[in-house]
Amino acid sequence: MAAMHALLSGFAPIWLLTGIGYAAGRGGLLGEQAESVLGRFVFHVAMPAALFTMVSGSRLDAFAHPSMVAFAAGTALVSGLGYAAGRRFFGRERAEAAVSGMASGYVNSANLGIPVAVHVLGDASFVAQVILFQVLLVSPVVLTLLDSGTQAAGPGGERPGGGLRRMLTMPVRNPVIMASLLGVAVSATGLRLPAAVSHSCDVLGAAAVPTALITLGLSLHGGPAERAGGAAHSGGAGGGPGRSAGRAEAERGTVGLKTLVTRRAGAGGAAGLTTLAARHAEAGVAVALKTLVQPLAAFAVAGPLLHLPDHQVLAVVLCSALPTAQNAYIYAHQYGLDTGLARTCVVASTVVSMSTLSFAAWALGPSR
């Protein structure tokens, strides 16, 4: 009963804020550019503040724990499978395949993981380690793939500025990575920031999750950019050029889906899957990886392989069964990519995870 109450209390803000965003979009309350403006605010301002506050106040030695090995193994497996499926079976370019990988393995550890952990596990210490792992290790990998995959190729197909130089300068250009690195520096040196500075970061960072959920809700109604067929967003991530190729990038993904699934449907006039069906199939694969394969993989590593104590196995499986974080949508939106997959995975995995989280708490909890 307590576990179910924890799930409901954790899911309620997600549905409520997303619903408010949808209602605001449907009523035109915030204007036609609200989705784009709020998305940039989250990515460039609120999220960096939240990440800096969290990382700077955390102990970086938390990774040296067998439980994190189990969680990391499950995350790496399903993220890799999601990326490979996007590239191999759905014809995605590198950047959009990175979104597929993120939608498959990046868990909603903050606004859902913390309340679930507090009520089911009794504390949120392991969730804090998960958050650090995703911020410091998973996000830089995803953002590097997005950054390298969304730069317009010059004559001959080369990347402007050189791939190595862009990779080395990415922390300076990307506010999410820069904020995380600054947080690491503060934590490692034991520096204490002035109260006014730390409090300002707390207040600003607190806006990240609710604003991201409002933005997600706006996208469910279908903003002007989506109705225009994936028109470019103004301002690339990390100060780069605007994504004028955003629409072309989305169209290439659609063409790749349609061509590939039609070819695989067989010759002789057999009807191929429609593009819409292919998109649903891609989302279904990502949601299945997120809500089923990831917790099962984490359980296999934590239990039979590492023989962790029961309470640690429960913590690893619960965190692995959390739904896709709204960061996947924010990243796709900021880089001018087709946001349909990320949006669908966030919503669908949140619905499915209510069952998988409940089952994990029942099967692995102390009362089993």
Side-chain angles (χ1 to χ4, degrees), residues 260-319:
L260 190 58
V261 298
T262 301
R263 184 170 68 242
R264 290 180 178 276
L273 293 173
T274 65
T275 302
L276 181 60
R279 287 180 177 273
H280 289 165
E282 184 179 16
V285 169
V287 171
L289 288 171
K290 176 73 226 53
T291 58
L292 297 177
V293 178
Q294 186 170 6
L296 287 174
F299 172 77
V301 176
L305 188 59
L306 297 180
H307 302 288
L308 297 179
D310 289 346
H311 69 280
Q312 293 182 17
V313 174
L314 175 60
V316 170
V317 173
L318 274 180
C319 288

Side-chain angles (χ1 to χ4, degrees), residues 74-363:
T75 299
L77 174 65
V78 297
S79 297
L81 289 175
Y83 179 86
R87 293 281 280 175
R88 177 69 179 86
F89 297 108
F90 299 104
R92 293 295 191 180
E93 299 292 336
R94 182 194 306 168
E96 290 195 331
V99 175
S100 298
M102 187 177 186
S104 302
Y106 200 101
V107 306
N108 190 340
S109 54
N111 58 311
L112 183 56
I114 291 176
V116 169
V118 168
H119 287 86
V120 179
L121 303 175
D123 69 86
S125 58
F126 183 68
V127 177
Q129 299 173 33
V130 169
I131 294 173
L132 279 178
F133 169 74
Q134 295 194 139
V135 168
L136 299 180
L137 296 179
V138 180
S139 285
V141 173
V142 173
L143 290 170
T144 298
L145 290 172
L146 290 173
D147 188 78
S148 62
T150 53
Q151 297 306 310
E158 72 276 5
R159 301 289 180 186
L164 179 60
R165 186 173 68 184
R166 290 197 59 83
M167 184 176 298
L168 293 177
T169 60
M170 186 178 176
V172 180
R173 297 180 289 104
N174 190 292
V176 172
I177 296 181
M178 175 58 72
S180 301
L181 292 178
L182 289 176
V184 169
V186 171
S187 176
T189 58
L191 180 66
R192 294 182 62 87
L193 298 176
V197 175
S198 60
H199 181 64
S200 297
C201 290
D202 289 340
V203 173
L204 185 58
V209 170
T211 307
L213 291 172
I214 292 291
T215 308
L216 177 64
L218 288 169
S219 74
L220 293 176
H221 173 62
E226 182 176 326
R227 288 194 296 269
H233 301 295
S234 60
R243 280 287 294 140
S244 59
R247 180 174 182 175
E249 196 71 35
E251 288 175 349
R252 281 200 300 273
T254 301
V255 171
L257 282 167
K258 185 174 182 180
T259 301
L260 190 58
V261 298
T262 301
R263 184 170 68 242
R264 290 180 178 276
L273 293 173
T274 65
T275 302
L276 181 60
R279 287 180 177 273
H280 289 165
E282 184 179 16
V285 169
V287 171
L289 288 171
K290 176 73 226 53
T291 58
L292 297 177
V293 178
Q294 186 170 6
L296 287 174
F299 172 77
V301 176
L305 188 59
L306 297 180
H307 302 288
L308 297 179
D310 289 346
H311 69 280
Q312 293 182 17
V313 174
L314 175 60
V316 170
V317 173
L318 274 180
C319 288
S320 299
L322 291 168
T324 302
Q326 60 269 12
N327 297 39
Y329 166 78
I330 292 296
Y331 288 2
H333 183 276
Q334 181 58 34
Y335 277 86
L337 301 173
D338 178 14
T339 59
L341 174 65
R343 179 176 60 242
T344 301
C345 289
V346 170
V347 175
S349 66
T350 301
V351 174
V352 175
S353 67
M354 295 184 70
S355 299
T356 55
L357 286 169
S358 299
F359 177 78
W362 170 80

